[in-house]
Amino acid sequence: MLLSNLDLLATAPGGVARLRELILTLAVQGKLVPQDQADEPASVLLKQIRAEKERLIAEGKIRRDKPLAEIAEEEKPFGLPEGWEWVRFSTLAGFENGDRGSNYPSRSNFVNQGVAFINAGHLVDERIDYTDMNYITSQNFDLLRSGKVQRGDILYCLRGSLGKFAQVHDDAPGAIASSLVIIRLTEKATASYAMQYLKSPLAASLIKRFDNGTAQPNLGAGDLAKFVVPLPPLSEQARIVTRVEELMRLCDALEAKGRLEAAQH
């Protein structure tokens, strides 16, 4: 149905934007791709994630999470397909703020070359834009107690442009400004599915729920940890991501077609 009505859905004003939202909504509700009874259920994946976390705690690599409340029925905005599970975001990831102590770099610490010091303005189209990057010295970087990025991290905006994010795709050293938080997924969690979730209307609704309501929109890492995530089986996550990416490319083509037609009139 979705494919056959793409052009129809996209012709209305703002139609492509609404179409993108619909695609992501169907994705996290388990309605975008068919379920496969042969898939290992998400409950198996959760056991693997918990075992991984226990191992990392025993090795001293992470701290034990502060226990969060069980997900109440009223927190679940829709029913899930068989094999899916509702989880807190903290089940899938750890959250690390930047160093907000006396070692936090000020503008006077910025240099022309060095270690990237990444703020919300550097998150562009889900990637880190180094065009106007701020840099600090390696000495300043070494003094930081937290907020040092690793390959695969998702950098998420907690202030101002709430919900904007980008993934780290290289091994270059870098650190985050206080407006961001590092989302560091467990090895068993799928970053590509997590990012589709973060773009979804469900995640947007949770931002509104946890936003502190001050003049500048603001979240805390602890709020993000409480977000409820609909978790599919691992194999289905891969199918969902492939389908979403395919449909988003079609949306891109529809937008380009619309711009071309507008220019010709």
Side-chain angles (χ1 to χ4, degrees), residues 53 65 68 71 86-95 154 156 183-186 189-191 193-195 197-198 203 206 221-230:
K53 282 192 167 184
D65 296 332
L68 295 176
I71 299 174
W86 282 109
V87 298
R88 300 267 184 215
F89 207 175
S90 60
T91 302
L92 308 178
F95 305 87
I154 298 171
Y156 185 92
I183 301 173
R184 188 163 292 152
L185 294 158
T186 65
T190 306
Y193 175 76
M195 289 190 287
Y197 162 77
L198 288 173
L206 292 168
D223 299 323
L224 194 57
K226 296 173 186 174
F227 278 24
V228 292
V229 181

PDB file of all heavy atoms in Angstrom, residues 53 65 68 71 86-95 154 156 183-186 189-191 193-195 197-198 203 206 221-230:
ATOM      1  N   LYS A  53      26.663  -6.949  29.407  1.00  0.00           N
ATOM      2  CA  LYS A  53      26.837  -5.895  30.406  1.00  0.00           C
ATOM      3  C   LYS A  53      27.456  -6.449  31.687  1.00  0.00           C
ATOM      4  O   LYS A  53      28.334  -5.811  32.290  1.00  0.00           O
ATOM      5  CB  LYS A  53      25.495  -5.222  30.706  1.00  0.00           C
ATOM      6  CG  LYS A  53      25.056  -4.226  29.651  1.00  0.00           C
ATOM      7  CD  LYS A  53      23.886  -3.399  30.151  1.00  0.00           C
ATOM      8  CE  LYS A  53      23.617  -2.204  29.264  1.00  0.00           C
ATOM      9  NZ  LYS A  53      22.551  -1.339  29.798  1.00  0.00           N
ATOM     10  N   ASP A  65      24.265   0.040  35.941  1.00  0.00           N
ATOM     11  CA  ASP A  65      23.244   1.069  35.747  1.00  0.00           C
ATOM     12  C   ASP A  65      22.445   1.291  37.020  1.00  0.00           C
ATOM     13  O   ASP A  65      22.191   0.351  37.790  1.00  0.00           O
ATOM     14  CB  ASP A  65      22.270   0.663  34.626  1.00  0.00           C
ATOM     15  CG  ASP A  65      22.950   0.569  33.274  1.00  0.00           C
ATOM     16  OD1 ASP A  65      23.948   1.267  33.068  1.00  0.00           O
ATOM     17  OD2 ASP A  65      22.466  -0.215  32.429  1.00  0.00           O
ATOM     18  N   LEU A  68      16.083   1.461  36.917  1.00  0.00           N
ATOM     19  CA  LEU A  68      14.957   2.292  36.503  1.00  0.00           C
ATOM     20  C   LEU A  68      13.659   1.523  36.721  1.00  0.00           C
ATOM     21  O   LEU A  68      13.652   0.291  36.777  1.00  0.00           O
ATOM     22  CB  LEU A  68      15.094   2.680  35.022  1.00  0.00           C
ATOM     23  CG  LEU A  68      16.280   3.567  34.656  1.00  0.00           C
ATOM     24  CD1 LEU A  68      16.333   3.792  33.157  1.00  0.00           C
ATOM     25  CD2 LEU A  68      16.215   4.908  35.384  1.00  0.00           C
ATOM     26  N   ILE A  71       8.672  -0.691  32.925  1.00  0.00           N
ATOM     27  CA  ILE A  71       7.843   0.064  31.983  1.00  0.00           C
ATOM     28  C   ILE A  71       6.373  -0.193  32.297  1.00  0.00           C
ATOM     29  O   ILE A  71       5.908  -1.342  32.240  1.00  0.00           O
ATOM     30  CB  ILE A  71       8.172  -0.323  30.535  1.00  0.00           C
ATOM     31  CG1 ILE A  71       9.631   0.007  30.225  1.00  0.00           C
ATOM     32  CG2 ILE A  71       7.241   0.393  29.552  1.00  0.00           C
ATOM     33  CD1 ILE A  71      10.101  -0.480  28.865  1.00  0.00           C
ATOM     34  N   TRP A  86       9.304  -4.276  24.711  1.00  0.00           N
ATOM     35  CA  TRP A  86       9.515  -2.891  25.146  1.00  0.00           C
ATOM     36  C   TRP A  86      10.698  -2.870  26.116  1.00  0.00           C
ATOM     37  O   TRP A  86      10.752  -3.669  27.051  1.00  0.00           O
ATOM     38  CB  TRP A  86       8.282  -2.342  25.863  1.00  0.00           C
ATOM     39  CG  TRP A  86       7.165  -1.939  24.950  1.00  0.00           C
ATOM     40  CD1 TRP A  86       5.977  -2.574  24.783  1.00  0.00           C
ATOM     41  CD2 TRP A  86       7.123  -0.789  24.095  1.00  0.00           C
ATOM     42  NE1 TRP A  86       5.185  -1.905  23.876  1.00  0.00           N
ATOM     43  CE2 TRP A  86       5.878  -0.799  23.431  1.00  0.00           C
ATOM     44  CE3 TRP A  86       8.017   0.249  23.815  1.00  0.00           C
ATOM     45  CZ2 TRP A  86       5.501   0.182  22.510  1.00  0.00           C
ATOM     46  CZ3 TRP A  86       7.651   1.218  22.900  1.00  0.00           C
ATOM     47  CH2 TRP A  86       6.412   1.181  22.258  1.00  0.00           C
ATOM     48  N   VAL A  87      11.647  -1.950  25.885  1.00  0.00           N
ATOM     49  CA  VAL A  87      12.790  -1.813  26.781  1.00  0.00           C
ATOM     50  C   VAL A  87      13.062  -0.330  27.034  1.00  0.00           C
ATOM     51  O   VAL A  87      12.660   0.529  26.242  1.00  0.00           O
ATOM     52  CB  VAL A  87      14.067  -2.471  26.209  1.00  0.00           C
ATOM     53  CG1 VAL A  87      13.868  -3.962  26.009  1.00  0.00           C
ATOM     54  CG2 VAL A  87      14.494  -1.813  24.894  1.00  0.00           C
ATOM     55  N   ARG A  88      13.721  -0.037  28.128  1.00  0.00           N
ATOM     56  CA  ARG A  88      14.264   1.297  28.342  1.00  0.00           C
ATOM     57  C   ARG A  88      15.509   1.460  27.460  1.00  0.00           C
ATOM     58  O   ARG A  88      16.225   0.485  27.207  1.00  0.00           O
ATOM     59  CB  ARG A  88      14.651   1.515  29.800  1.00  0.00           C
ATOM     60  CG  ARG A  88      13.501   1.380  30.774  1.00  0.00           C
ATOM     61  CD  ARG A  88      12.850   2.671  31.065  1.00  0.00           C
ATOM     62  NE  ARG A  88      11.794   2.531  32.084  1.00  0.00           N
ATOM     63  CZ  ARG A  88      10.688   3.241  32.075  1.00  0.00           C
ATOM     64  NH1 ARG A  88      10.470   4.137  31.123  1.00  0.00           N
ATOM     65  NH2 ARG A  88       9.776   3.079  33.022  1.00  0.00           N
ATOM     66  N   PHE A  89      15.761   2.685  27.027  1.00  0.00           N
ATOM     67  CA  PHE A  89      16.943   2.921  26.190  1.00  0.00           C
ATOM     68  C   PHE A  89      18.218   2.516  26.933  1.00  0.00           C
ATOM     69  O   PHE A  89      19.196   2.066  26.333  1.00  0.00           O
ATOM     70  CB  PHE A  89      16.993   4.399  25.791  1.00  0.00           C
ATOM     71  CG  PHE A  89      17.717   4.667  24.493  1.00  0.00           C
ATOM     72  CD1 PHE A  89      17.741   5.948  23.977  1.00  0.00           C
ATOM     73  CD2 PHE A  89      18.369   3.677  23.792  1.00  0.00           C
ATOM     74  CE1 PHE A  89      18.399   6.227  22.782  1.00  0.00           C
ATOM     75  CE2 PHE A  89      19.025   3.932  22.597  1.00  0.00           C
ATOM     76  CZ  PHE A  89      19.042   5.220  22.102  1.00  0.00           C
ATOM     77  N   SER A  90      18.219   2.664  28.260  1.00  0.00           N
ATOM     78  CA  SER A  90      19.400   2.310  29.047  1.00  0.00           C
ATOM     79  C   SER A  90      19.736   0.825  28.969  1.00  0.00           C
ATOM     80  O   SER A  90      20.860   0.423  29.272  1.00  0.00           O
ATOM     81  CB  SER A  90      19.200   2.704  30.517  1.00  0.00           C
ATOM     82  OG  SER A  90      18.081   2.034  31.060  1.00  0.00           O
ATOM     83  N   THR A  91      18.760  -0.012  28.566  1.00  0.00           N
ATOM     84  CA  THR A  91      19.026  -1.433  28.383  1.00  0.00           C
ATOM     85  C   THR A  91      19.986  -1.658  27.225  1.00  0.00           C
ATOM     86  O   THR A  91      20.796  -2.587  27.244  1.00  0.00           O
ATOM     87  CB  THR A  91      17.715  -2.199  28.113  1.00  0.00           C
ATOM     88  OG1 THR A  91      16.824  -1.994  29.201  1.00  0.00           O
ATOM     89  CG2 THR A  91      17.962  -3.694  27.935  1.00  0.00           C
ATOM     90  N   LEU A  92      19.901  -0.795  26.216  1.00  0.00           N
ATOM     91  CA  LEU A  92      20.661  -0.970  24.986  1.00  0.00           C
ATOM     92  C   LEU A  92      21.947  -0.167  24.945  1.00  0.00           C
ATOM     93  O   LEU A  92      22.804  -0.417  24.088  1.00  0.00           O
ATOM     94  CB  LEU A  92      19.803  -0.568  23.777  1.00  0.00           C
ATOM     95  CG  LEU A  92      18.423  -1.219  23.663  1.00  0.00           C
ATOM     96  CD1 LEU A  92      17.686  -0.671  22.454  1.00  0.00           C
ATOM     97  CD2 LEU A  92      18.555  -2.733  23.575  1.00  0.00           C
ATOM     98  N   ALA A  93      22.090   0.822  25.830  1.00  0.00           N
ATOM     99  CA  ALA A  93      23.205   1.750  25.694  1.00  0.00           C
ATOM    100  C   ALA A  93      23.594   2.348  27.039  1.00  0.00           C
ATOM    101  O   ALA A  93      22.814   2.347  27.994  1.00  0.00           O
ATOM    102  CB  ALA A  93      22.830   2.880  24.728  1.00  0.00           C
ATOM    103  N   GLY A  94      24.812   2.887  27.079  1.00  0.00           N
ATOM    104  CA  GLY A  94      25.244   3.745  28.167  1.00  0.00           C
ATOM    105  C   GLY A  94      25.252   5.182  27.685  1.00  0.00           C
ATOM    106  O   GLY A  94      25.285   5.442  26.474  1.00  0.00           O
ATOM    107  N   PHE A  95      25.205   6.128  28.608  1.00  0.00           N
ATOM    108  CA  PHE A  95      25.121   7.547  28.264  1.00  0.00           C
ATOM    109  C   PHE A  95      26.221   8.300  29.002  1.00  0.00           C
ATOM    110  O   PHE A  95      26.346   8.178  30.225  1.00  0.00           O
ATOM    111  CB  PHE A  95      23.743   8.101  28.619  1.00  0.00           C
ATOM    112  CG  PHE A  95      22.619   7.328  27.976  1.00  0.00           C
ATOM    113  CD1 PHE A  95      22.089   6.204  28.605  1.00  0.00           C
ATOM    114  CD2 PHE A  95      22.131   7.683  26.737  1.00  0.00           C
ATOM    115  CE1 PHE A  95      21.078   5.478  28.013  1.00  0.00           C
ATOM    116  CE2 PHE A  95      21.126   6.952  26.135  1.00  0.00           C
ATOM    117  CZ  PHE A  95      20.598   5.847  26.771  1.00  0.00           C
ATOM    118  N   ILE A 154      26.961   7.429  19.093  1.00  0.00           N
ATOM    119  CA  ILE A 154      25.953   8.363  18.594  1.00  0.00           C
ATOM    120  C   ILE A 154      26.006   9.593  19.495  1.00  0.00           C
ATOM    121  O   ILE A 154      25.887   9.474  20.720  1.00  0.00           O
ATOM    122  CB  ILE A 154      24.546   7.739  18.615  1.00  0.00           C
ATOM    123  CG1 ILE A 154      24.500   6.509  17.700  1.00  0.00           C
ATOM    124  CG2 ILE A 154      23.500   8.766  18.174  1.00  0.00           C
ATOM    125  CD1 ILE A 154      23.216   5.702  17.824  1.00  0.00           C
ATOM    126  N   TYR A 156      24.264  12.952  20.662  1.00  0.00           N
ATOM    127  CA  TYR A 156      22.860  13.353  20.710  1.00  0.00           C
ATOM    128  C   TYR A 156      22.749  14.709  21.387  1.00  0.00           C
ATOM    129  O   TYR A 156      23.364  14.947  22.440  1.00  0.00           O
ATOM    130  CB  TYR A 156      22.083  12.293  21.471  1.00  0.00           C
ATOM    131  CG  TYR A 156      20.580  12.468  21.517  1.00  0.00           C
ATOM    132  CD1 TYR A 156      19.764  11.873  20.564  1.00  0.00           C
ATOM    133  CD2 TYR A 156      19.981  13.206  22.531  1.00  0.00           C
ATOM    134  CE1 TYR A 156      18.382  12.014  20.620  1.00  0.00           C
ATOM    135  CE2 TYR A 156      18.606  13.348  22.593  1.00  0.00           C
ATOM    136  CZ  TYR A 156      17.809  12.745  21.629  1.00  0.00           C
ATOM    137  OH  TYR A 156      16.444  12.891  21.695  1.00  0.00           O
ATOM    138  N   ILE A 183      25.824   8.481  23.251  1.00  0.00           N
ATOM    139  CA  ILE A 183      25.063   7.238  23.380  1.00  0.00           C
ATOM    140  C   ILE A 183      25.989   6.130  22.899  1.00  0.00           C
ATOM    141  O   ILE A 183      26.358   6.084  21.723  1.00  0.00           O
ATOM    142  CB  ILE A 183      23.786   7.258  22.528  1.00  0.00           C
ATOM    143  CG1 ILE A 183      22.875   8.419  22.933  1.00  0.00           C
ATOM    144  CG2 ILE A 183      23.048   5.931  22.637  1.00  0.00           C
ATOM    145  CD1 ILE A 183      21.667   8.591  22.014  1.00  0.00           C
ATOM    146  N   ARG A 184      26.384   5.261  23.807  1.00  0.00           N
ATOM    147  CA  ARG A 184      27.315   4.176  23.456  1.00  0.00           C
ATOM    148  C   ARG A 184      26.568   2.858  23.571  1.00  0.00           C
ATOM    149  O   ARG A 184      26.312   2.341  24.657  1.00  0.00           O
ATOM    150  CB  ARG A 184      28.547   4.226  24.362  1.00  0.00           C
ATOM    151  CG  ARG A 184      29.658   3.270  23.957  1.00  0.00           C
ATOM    152  CD  ARG A 184      30.963   3.673  24.630  1.00  0.00           C
ATOM    153  NE  ARG A 184      31.455   4.944  24.113  1.00  0.00           N
ATOM    154  CZ  ARG A 184      32.205   5.801  24.817  1.00  0.00           C
ATOM    155  NH1 ARG A 184      32.515   5.532  26.078  1.00  0.00           N
ATOM    156  NH2 ARG A 184      32.628   6.922  24.262  1.00  0.00           N
ATOM    157  N   LEU A 185      26.193   2.320  22.431  1.00  0.00           N
ATOM    158  CA  LEU A 185      25.396   1.095  22.392  1.00  0.00           C
ATOM    159  C   LEU A 185      26.225  -0.127  22.757  1.00  0.00           C
ATOM    160  O   LEU A 185      27.437  -0.164  22.519  1.00  0.00           O
ATOM    161  CB  LEU A 185      24.798   0.909  20.999  1.00  0.00           C
ATOM    162  CG  LEU A 185      23.755   1.957  20.581  1.00  0.00           C
ATOM    163  CD1 LEU A 185      23.637   2.015  19.081  1.00  0.00           C
ATOM    164  CD2 LEU A 185      22.406   1.637  21.216  1.00  0.00           C
ATOM    165  N   THR A 186      25.570  -1.119  23.341  1.00  0.00           N
ATOM    166  CA  THR A 186      26.237  -2.390  23.580  1.00  0.00           C
ATOM    167  C   THR A 186      26.546  -3.050  22.236  1.00  0.00           C
ATOM    168  O   THR A 186      25.955  -2.706  21.200  1.00  0.00           O
ATOM    169  CB  THR A 186      25.345  -3.335  24.393  1.00  0.00           C
ATOM    170  OG1 THR A 186      24.193  -3.671  23.618  1.00  0.00           O
ATOM    171  CG2 THR A 186      24.912  -2.696  25.698  1.00  0.00           C
ATOM    172  N   ALA A 189      23.554  -4.419  20.394  1.00  0.00           N
ATOM    173  CA  ALA A 189      22.522  -3.493  19.913  1.00  0.00           C
ATOM    174  C   ALA A 189      22.899  -2.994  18.520  1.00  0.00           C
ATOM    175  O   ALA A 189      24.073  -2.849  18.195  1.00  0.00           O
ATOM    176  CB  ALA A 189      22.374  -2.322  20.873  1.00  0.00           C
ATOM    177  N   THR A 190      21.895  -2.738  17.701  1.00  0.00           N
ATOM    178  CA  THR A 190      22.119  -2.340  16.316  1.00  0.00           C
ATOM    179  C   THR A 190      22.005  -0.821  16.184  1.00  0.00           C
ATOM    180  O   THR A 190      20.920  -0.258  16.370  1.00  0.00           O
ATOM    181  CB  THR A 190      21.079  -3.007  15.389  1.00  0.00           C
ATOM    182  OG1 THR A 190      21.102  -4.410  15.601  1.00  0.00           O
ATOM    183  CG2 THR A 190      21.374  -2.710  13.932  1.00  0.00           C
ATOM    184  N   ALA A 191      23.123  -0.168  15.872  1.00  0.00           N
ATOM    185  CA  ALA A 191      23.133   1.296  15.789  1.00  0.00           C
ATOM    186  C   ALA A 191      22.189   1.805  14.707  1.00  0.00           C
ATOM    187  O   ALA A 191      21.515   2.824  14.886  1.00  0.00           O
ATOM    188  CB  ALA A 191      24.550   1.797  15.532  1.00  0.00           C
ATOM    189  N   TYR A 193      19.382   0.576  13.610  1.00  0.00           N
ATOM    190  CA  TYR A 193      17.987   0.576  14.066  1.00  0.00           C
ATOM    191  C   TYR A 193      17.786   1.646  15.129  1.00  0.00           C
ATOM    192  O   TYR A 193      16.764   2.351  15.130  1.00  0.00           O
ATOM    193  CB  TYR A 193      17.578  -0.792  14.616  1.00  0.00           C
ATOM    194  CG  TYR A 193      16.172  -0.772  15.201  1.00  0.00           C
ATOM    195  CD1 TYR A 193      15.055  -0.760  14.359  1.00  0.00           C
ATOM    196  CD2 TYR A 193      15.954  -0.721  16.579  1.00  0.00           C
ATOM    197  CE1 TYR A 193      13.769  -0.706  14.883  1.00  0.00           C
ATOM    198  CE2 TYR A 193      14.670  -0.670  17.104  1.00  0.00           C
ATOM    199  CZ  TYR A 193      13.586  -0.662  16.254  1.00  0.00           C
ATOM    200  OH  TYR A 193      12.306  -0.581  16.767  1.00  0.00           O
ATOM    201  N   ALA A 194      18.745   1.801  16.041  1.00  0.00           N
ATOM    202  CA  ALA A 194      18.633   2.823  17.076  1.00  0.00           C
ATOM    203  C   ALA A 194      18.490   4.214  16.467  1.00  0.00           C
ATOM    204  O   ALA A 194      17.720   5.049  16.966  1.00  0.00           O
ATOM    205  CB  ALA A 194      19.852   2.773  18.005  1.00  0.00           C
ATOM    206  N   MET A 195      19.185   4.475  15.380  1.00  0.00           N
ATOM    207  CA  MET A 195      19.099   5.797  14.758  1.00  0.00           C
ATOM    208  C   MET A 195      17.758   5.998  14.054  1.00  0.00           C
ATOM    209  O   MET A 195      17.220   7.106  14.062  1.00  0.00           O
ATOM    210  CB  MET A 195      20.276   5.999  13.798  1.00  0.00           C
ATOM    211  CG  MET A 195      21.597   6.171  14.545  1.00  0.00           C
ATOM    212  SD  MET A 195      22.985   6.700  13.508  1.00  0.00           S
ATOM    213  CE  MET A 195      23.305   5.182  12.589  1.00  0.00           C
ATOM    214  N   TYR A 197      15.024   4.706  15.151  1.00  0.00           N
ATOM    215  CA  TYR A 197      14.160   4.976  16.301  1.00  0.00           C
ATOM    216  C   TYR A 197      14.283   6.438  16.741  1.00  0.00           C
ATOM    217  O   TYR A 197      13.276   7.100  17.011  1.00  0.00           O
ATOM    218  CB  TYR A 197      14.533   4.046  17.449  1.00  0.00           C
ATOM    219  CG  TYR A 197      14.033   4.512  18.796  1.00  0.00           C
ATOM    220  CD1 TYR A 197      12.692   4.364  19.156  1.00  0.00           C
ATOM    221  CD2 TYR A 197      14.892   5.133  19.709  1.00  0.00           C
ATOM    222  CE1 TYR A 197      12.227   4.812  20.385  1.00  0.00           C
ATOM    223  CE2 TYR A 197      14.429   5.581  20.934  1.00  0.00           C
ATOM    224  CZ  TYR A 197      13.101   5.427  21.268  1.00  0.00           C
ATOM    225  OH  TYR A 197      12.637   5.875  22.470  1.00  0.00           O
ATOM    226  N   LEU A 198      15.510   6.948  16.824  1.00  0.00           N
ATOM    227  CA  LEU A 198      15.723   8.329  17.285  1.00  0.00           C
ATOM    228  C   LEU A 198      15.088   9.344  16.346  1.00  0.00           C
ATOM    229  O   LEU A 198      14.758  10.459  16.774  1.00  0.00           O
ATOM    230  CB  LEU A 198      17.222   8.604  17.429  1.00  0.00           C
ATOM    231  CG  LEU A 198      17.912   7.925  18.609  1.00  0.00           C
ATOM    232  CD1 LEU A 198      19.423   8.129  18.532  1.00  0.00           C
ATOM    233  CD2 LEU A 198      17.374   8.452  19.940  1.00  0.00           C
ATOM    234  N   ALA A 203      10.079   8.800  19.294  1.00  0.00           N
ATOM    235  CA  ALA A 203      11.158   9.454  20.042  1.00  0.00           C
ATOM    236  C   ALA A 203      10.877  10.944  20.201  1.00  0.00           C
ATOM    237  O   ALA A 203      11.138  11.527  21.257  1.00  0.00           O
ATOM    238  CB  ALA A 203      12.497   9.224  19.347  1.00  0.00           C
ATOM    239  N   LEU A 206       8.582  11.535  23.038  1.00  0.00           N
ATOM    240  CA  LEU A 206       9.230  11.357  24.334  1.00  0.00           C
ATOM    241  C   LEU A 206      10.082  12.574  24.686  1.00  0.00           C
ATOM    242  O   LEU A 206      10.201  12.941  25.858  1.00  0.00           O
ATOM    243  CB  LEU A 206      10.067  10.080  24.333  1.00  0.00           C
ATOM    244  CG  LEU A 206       9.246   8.797  24.263  1.00  0.00           C
ATOM    245  CD1 LEU A 206      10.132   7.594  23.980  1.00  0.00           C
ATOM    246  CD2 LEU A 206       8.462   8.574  25.550  1.00  0.00           C
ATOM    247  N   ALA A 221      20.736  13.359  30.337  1.00  0.00           N
ATOM    248  CA  ALA A 221      21.068  11.997  29.930  1.00  0.00           C
ATOM    249  C   ALA A 221      20.179  10.989  30.652  1.00  0.00           C
ATOM    250  O   ALA A 221      19.791   9.965  30.084  1.00  0.00           O
ATOM    251  CB  ALA A 221      22.536  11.710  30.214  1.00  0.00           C
ATOM    252  N   GLY A 222      19.817  11.292  31.900  1.00  0.00           N
ATOM    253  CA  GLY A 222      18.936  10.401  32.647  1.00  0.00           C
ATOM    254  C   GLY A 222      17.549  10.306  32.037  1.00  0.00           C
ATOM    255  O   GLY A 222      16.896   9.259  32.121  1.00  0.00           O
ATOM    256  N   ASP A 223      17.086  11.401  31.419  1.00  0.00           N
ATOM    257  CA  ASP A 223      15.794  11.368  30.728  1.00  0.00           C
ATOM    258  C   ASP A 223      15.873  10.448  29.515  1.00  0.00           C
ATOM    259  O   ASP A 223      14.978   9.638  29.266  1.00  0.00           O
ATOM    260  CB  ASP A 223      15.398  12.779  30.272  1.00  0.00           C
ATOM    261  CG  ASP A 223      15.236  13.750  31.421  1.00  0.00           C
ATOM    262  OD1 ASP A 223      14.751  13.332  32.483  1.00  0.00           O
ATOM    263  OD2 ASP A 223      15.606  14.924  31.258  1.00  0.00           O
ATOM    264  N   LEU A 224      16.943  10.596  28.757  1.00  0.00           N
ATOM    265  CA  LEU A 224      17.125   9.783  27.552  1.00  0.00           C
ATOM    266  C   LEU A 224      17.180   8.300  27.911  1.00  0.00           C
ATOM    267  O   LEU A 224      16.634   7.452  27.193  1.00  0.00           O
ATOM    268  CB  LEU A 224      18.410  10.222  26.844  1.00  0.00           C
ATOM    269  CG  LEU A 224      18.659   9.754  25.421  1.00  0.00           C
ATOM    270  CD1 LEU A 224      17.531  10.155  24.484  1.00  0.00           C
ATOM    271  CD2 LEU A 224      19.987  10.314  24.912  1.00  0.00           C
ATOM    272  N   ALA A 225      17.805   7.989  29.029  1.00  0.00           N
ATOM    273  CA  ALA A 225      17.896   6.598  29.472  1.00  0.00           C
ATOM    274  C   ALA A 225      16.524   5.988  29.723  1.00  0.00           C
ATOM    275  O   ALA A 225      16.332   4.770  29.580  1.00  0.00           O
ATOM    276  CB  ALA A 225      18.739   6.521  30.744  1.00  0.00           C
ATOM    277  N   LYS A 226      15.537   6.829  30.080  1.00  0.00           N
ATOM    278  CA  LYS A 226      14.191   6.342  30.401  1.00  0.00           C
ATOM    279  C   LYS A 226      13.312   6.153  29.161  1.00  0.00           C
ATOM    280  O   LYS A 226      12.215   5.581  29.271  1.00  0.00           O
ATOM    281  CB  LYS A 226      13.499   7.313  31.350  1.00  0.00           C
ATOM    282  CG  LYS A 226      14.167   7.436  32.714  1.00  0.00           C
ATOM    283  CD  LYS A 226      13.514   8.531  33.529  1.00  0.00           C
ATOM    284  CE  LYS A 226      14.255   8.778  34.831  1.00  0.00           C
ATOM    285  NZ  LYS A 226      13.717   9.947  35.566  1.00  0.00           N
ATOM    286  N   PHE A 227      13.736   6.644  28.008  1.00  0.00           N
ATOM    287  CA  PHE A 227      12.924   6.499  26.799  1.00  0.00           C
ATOM    288  C   PHE A 227      12.551   5.032  26.600  1.00  0.00           C
ATOM    289  O   PHE A 227      13.374   4.144  26.813  1.00  0.00           O
ATOM    290  CB  PHE A 227      13.702   6.978  25.573  1.00  0.00           C
ATOM    291  CG  PHE A 227      13.685   8.463  25.344  1.00  0.00           C
ATOM    292  CD1 PHE A 227      13.471   9.354  26.379  1.00  0.00           C
ATOM    293  CD2 PHE A 227      13.911   8.980  24.076  1.00  0.00           C
ATOM    294  CE1 PHE A 227      13.469  10.721  26.166  1.00  0.00           C
ATOM    295  CE2 PHE A 227      13.904  10.345  23.845  1.00  0.00           C
ATOM    296  CZ  PHE A 227      13.678  11.221  24.890  1.00  0.00           C
ATOM    297  N   VAL A 228      11.307   4.788  26.182  1.00  0.00           N
ATOM    298  CA  VAL A 228      10.889   3.419  25.871  1.00  0.00           C
ATOM    299  C   VAL A 228      11.165   3.136  24.398  1.00  0.00           C
ATOM    300  O   VAL A 228      10.892   3.960  23.524  1.00  0.00           O
ATOM    301  CB  VAL A 228       9.405   3.185  26.214  1.00  0.00           C
ATOM    302  CG1 VAL A 228       9.192   3.225  27.713  1.00  0.00           C
ATOM    303  CG2 VAL A 228       8.496   4.182  25.516  1.00  0.00           C
ATOM    304  N   VAL A 229      11.728   1.967  24.147  1.00  0.00           N
ATOM    305  CA  VAL A 229      12.136   1.576  22.788  1.00  0.00           C
ATOM    306  C   VAL A 229      11.440   0.277  22.418  1.00  0.00           C
ATOM    307  O   VAL A 229      11.528  -0.708  23.165  1.00  0.00           O
ATOM    308  CB  VAL A 229      13.664   1.375  22.704  1.00  0.00           C
ATOM    309  CG1 VAL A 229      14.074   0.987  21.285  1.00  0.00           C
ATOM    310  CG2 VAL A 229      14.414   2.620  23.158  1.00  0.00           C
ATOM    311  N   PRO A 230      10.744   0.238  21.278  1.00  0.00           N
ATOM    312  CA  PRO A 230      10.198  -1.034  20.794  1.00  0.00           C
ATOM    313  C   PRO A 230      11.311  -1.822  20.105  1.00  0.00           C
ATOM    314  O   PRO A 230      11.840  -1.400  19.082  1.00  0.00           O
ATOM    315  CB  PRO A 230       9.115  -0.591  19.802  1.00  0.00           C
ATOM    316  CG  PRO A 230       9.540   0.774  19.353  1.00  0.00           C
ATOM    317  CD  PRO A 230      10.394   1.373  20.411  1.00  0.00           C
TER     318      PRO A 230
END
